[in-house]
Amino acid sequence: MKKVCFFFAMVIFLSSFSAEVHADPIRSGLGVQLSSDGTAELVLHTSNIEAGVKVQMFLFDYASETASYPNLLVVGTHVAYLFSSAQTDSEFGIGIEAHTGIGLEDLEYDEYIDLGLRLSINQPISSRLYISGILYPFFMETRDESDVDDDWEMTVTLPKASVAFTVIF
């Protein structure tokens, strides 16, 4: 919970500086978004919609024989409807995010689904660059490995947050 409060405090703090200096709205177009949770994303930003395709890799060095962390490629997407504020040029987005994992070794999943509600505040720094505070009020993760019987599990995380920087081309 401390991280969530810190991330949103930073976005609000930075937005107060950028709103006074830059009055440019966020430009529509295709861009790249880098997030503090380790994802890289190709983003399409329009006046009312933000959509993206993301990728993230988890690579582990197996120092011990009993390590159970698999090397994993996570691919996903998000879609959000944006509400604009004419006074500060900031945007509030509400949408959904989903991704799945692909095992890079012998581990295969019958089910690897991550799904959550996505709330975001986009604050322009310039017409081509903006910072986002992203909050996931709940995030559900389900797992089921192919070779193991009765191992299905579901985890719900309350809340989860990140900060992202986006550059529009």
Side-chain angles (χ1 to χ4, degrees), residues 66-138:
T66 61
S68 62
Y69 302 110
N71 290 333
L72 194 66
L73 173 67
V74 177
V75 293
T77 187
H78 87 271
V79 175
Y81 185 80
L82 302 173
F83 300 93
S84 298
S85 170
Q87 297 168 343
T88 62
D89 292 325
S90 63
E91 299 171 333
F92 173 74
I94 184 167
I96 192 164
E97 182 167 320
H99 30 85
T100 188
I102 302 166
L104 298 177
E105 296 175 354
D106 294 339
L107 181 65
E108 291 183 24
Y109 289 97
D110 285 336
E111 182 177 321
Y112 188 113
I113 300 171
D114 296 351
L115 183 66
L117 179 66
R118 178 185 166 117
L119 305 174
S120 62
I121 299 172
N122 299 337
Q123 181 61 45
I125 296 174
S126 71
S127 64
R128 293 182 181 262
L129 177 67
Y130 64 94
I131 185 172
S132 300
I134 304 167
L135 174 68
Y136 305 97
F138 68 90

Side-chain angles (χ1 to χ4, degrees), residues 20-32:
E20 295 172 9
V21 178
H22 302 286
D24 299 332
I26 300 170
R27 177 181 239 178
S28 293
L30 195 61
V32 174

Side-chain angles (χ1 to χ4, degrees), residues 2-16:
K2 291 178 185 178
K3 290 181 183 179
V4 173
C5 294
F6 173 74
F7 286 140
F8 274 94
M10 287 302 295
V11 169
I12 291 169
F13 176 72
L14 291 173
S15 68
S16 65

